Amino acid sequence: MSKFIIQGGKRLEGEVKISGSKNAALPIIAATVLNGGKTTLYNVPDIQDVHTMFEIIKDIGGKVVKRHNKIIINTSKIHTYEIPDNLMRQMRSSVILAGALIGKYHQARFSCPGGCDIGARPIDLHLKGFEKLGINIKEEFGEIVCSAEKIIGTQIHLDFPSVGATENIILAACLGEGTTIITNAAKEPEIEDLVKYLNKMGAKIKGAGTDRVEIIGVKGLEEISYNIMPDRIEAGTYLVAGAITGGNIKLTNVCPPHIEPILNKLEEANCKLIIEKSTIQIDAPKRIKAVDIKTMPYPGFPTDMQSIFGALLTTAKGTSIITENIFESRYKYVQELNRMGAKIKVEGRSAIIKGTRRIQGAKVVATDLRGGAALVLEALMAKGVTEIDNTHYILRGYERIEEKLKKLGAKIY
Ligand code: EPZ
């Protein structure tokens, strides 16, 4: 398995360019199915989860060509509507392809997505939305089979503002008949980016980024090119790399409004920030102040930053409380941080973190993408050497992370 060896204690300084957003790229790649032709994408992150989505597109008959700084996807020859089981198991979020296949071909087949290391992650809200659109859903031998004569626009209220369910319903409805209204829709920036892409192709969608999204079905969609938005969680991760090492880092190619809640918490923790249109510079104190975190749907504090702040707060002056309100088991990283000397106690959905200066390098194991990122950040600050195993989790969502950290002065091998 892949490993990182990190010699901690180094103050990080310098500039880092933020890559394209994983969580915008994945639904947009799925949406390329809808125009049955070519899409040229720019600023696509070179990460494992994106490669997995490309594999699925090729497996069902699409073509994916990488040329310099762009990816050309051609979905004119899609010949199957089944998401391959092995790839579905590898990446649960490939369920987003179901909405696109149903929207374009009125059929899709996929295995029930397994859970993962951050919780059960059901798809009941996706399926309920599909049914309201007139899609028949049956379960056969652990597979979900969707089919429809036609897709009829309707009103859909989400019990929870699920990002994936909002995206999947939009994809299934945009070539349907009539108008679909989603209420209690998720408002994440990645949904706005997906809708900007769809509207550029000729879709008629309003309200993305609010809790009420209106989709007026259209007959067909055009071939276009599109530039993926910056990754707000990668941006937050490198800001915390500066904060946890008492460093000074400038991020370029970022969108500050997308990460307001993160910037607000870093300032509360006594970090100085210089925020401009597409850059953010962080100048961190030797030791940050303890702060409390409650994860919420956007525009609240993002759950994907919970473990990353968990690492940061292990060295804060004082005691912090984190409350995870989105996923039911997103604290697997805590036991690994405690092996390094952190003082974290998990009680139900909360983690109580007593700040300490005594964090030592150790042998630790990544359990998921953002938990793994938390271990890297802790290792950058720890005294001595840390060995992180299972780093393939981290490479799922962070483009060239070793190279970017080395450029900031980190000793990572
Ligand atoms: C997206 O996952 C992101 N993934 C996640 O990022 C992110 O943590 C999450 O949104 C929340 O912001 C991608 O965009 C590829 P949800 P998604 O549906 O769509 C429950 C990362 O690290 N739920 O908003 O799966 C669910 O169990 C990843 O980049 C249902 O109960 O998230 C969870 O508790 C991790 N039924 C909550 O809603 C459903 O049908 C939020 O899930 C769907 C979801």
Side-chain angles (χ1 to χ4, degrees), residues 4 16 84 114 148 181 256 272 314 349:
F4 286 160
V16 61
I181 309 269
K272 283 194 182 41
T314 59
R349 282 194 173 251

Side-chain angles (χ1 to χ4, degrees), residues 167 194 242 300:
E167 293 170 342
L194 169 65

Side-chain angles (χ1 to χ4, degrees), residues 31-58:
T32 62
V33 161
L34 290 168
N35 73 1
K38 265 196 201 152
T39 289
T40 302
L41 294 176
Y42 295 89
N43 202 34
V44 179
D46 180 11
I47 54 177
Q48 185 51 52
D49 274 10
V50 163
H51 299 158
T52 302
M53 192 58 103
F54 288 155
E55 283 314 303
I56 299 174
I57 294 283
K58 288 189 278 194

